[in-house]
Amino acid sequence: MVKFLKSNKAVIVLQGRYAGRKAVIVRSFDDGTRDRPYGHCLVAGIKKYPSKVIRKDSAKKTAKKSRVKCFVKLVNYQHLMPTRYTLDVDLKDVVTVDALQTKDKKVAACKATKERFEERFKTGKNRESESFWIRITRLHAREVSLAFLL
Amino acid sequence: MVAAKKTEETHESINNRLALVMKSGKYTLGYKTVLKSLRSSKGKLIIIANNCPPLRKSEIEYYAMLCIVGVHHYNGKLQKQLEAAGTFPPSFLHSFLCRLGLGVICFSKSLKSYIPRIQICIE
């Protein structure tokens, strides 16, 4: 009875190239639009997770390992697994439907989200959403995501 | 013996209510529509049958947890459930009267049937 597919919700993408990746809902379109007459949302997700950093890594290596690569995508609700977690990253100004129109804009949006994600990752404020940065070892996205969530 | 009887009794009441809702309430049947109605926060109650595969059951329960919707585990299989509801066999069942406040339970129901497993989402 409560709407849960809102902005800042952490979700897991279930289908497509980014299946198994975690993402954050930036904007949701519950009733769809004319082009997409179904419930869908704009998500910004992790294309390439940051790697594991160990104690003996140099600063240079740490910096390299802590990089996050992002994607921005419009996804059907059906192809998402919602989680009970949220990620408070302000992406509304950066990630817009407009940004998906051309490749340049998309790249720019991805770069901007990358910065914000990396900043979030490094400061690591929110205890709960720390698991957002951990990769799910890919089996079947739906099964694994469920096992992971529970 | 007593325990058996008790479950019988509660079964009866659920079955009665189910039948009522099927006749004059709103419901959808089946996994896909259940998830749809949960996402759009239209569902009010979900009934999951016994023989629902555990992964799917967990998934629905998780969704229900997210949108704070009740889940009822029906102690029986799909056919039994639908028999109880007074319709057999079902292919697709839709009744579009919105039913509220029977003094018993307020349902507008979404039932989902997916032979042979049922998850009913009650709106």
Side-chain angles (χ1 to χ4, degrees), chain B residues 34-86:
Chain B
V34 161
L35 288 188
K36 256 194 188 161
S37 51
L38 283 179
R39 277 186 214 117
S40 57
S41 60
K42 287 214 174 83
K44 290 200 174 61
L45 176 70
I46 304 180
I47 299 181
I48 304 182
N50 224 357
N51 57 347
C52 181
L55 179 69
R56 183 171 290 188
K57 189 162 78 159
S58 308
E59 192 174 356
I60 293 186
E61 284 174 356
Y62 196 83
Y63 269 85
M65 178 264 290
L66 285 178
C67 61
I68 317 177
V69 161
V71 175
H72 182 266
H73 294 280
Y74 187 88
N75 204 5
K77 297 184 183 185
L78 168 61
Q79 279 100 347
K80 290 209 172 153
Q81 223 165 345
L82 294 175
E83 271 180 64

Side-chain angles (χ1 to χ4, degrees), chain A residues 9-87:
Chain A
K9 193 92 180 144
V11 294
I12 301 177
V13 180
L14 293 174
Q15 306 281 358
R17 193 153 54 113
Y18 300 116
R21 306 277 203 275
K22 296 183 206 168
V24 185
I25 296 182
V26 178
R27 215 185 136 195
S28 59
F29 306 92
D30 285 333
D31 299 316
T33 55
R34 226 159 37 103
D35 297 330
R36 289 169 175 257
Y38 46 81
H40 62 283
C41 52
L42 189 57
V43 297
I46 304 177
K47 196 162 157 183
K48 201 174 190 186
Y49 288 86
S51 329
K52 202 164 185 186
V53 174
I54 53 178
R55 193 187 292 278
K56 70 177 188 172
D57 284 337
S58 61
K60 196 165 140 198
K61 230 180 180 178
T62 313
K64 204 161 190 204
K65 281 189 179 179
S66 313
R67 291 192 302 195
V68 178
K69 195 153 190 207
C70 303
F71 68 89
V72 170
K73 194 169 166 53
L74 280 170
V75 192
N76 191 346
Y77 281 163
Q78 273 195 10
H79 304 146
L80 293 175
M81 179 75 207
T83 68
R84 59 186 166 93
Y85 303 104
T86 56
L87 191 74

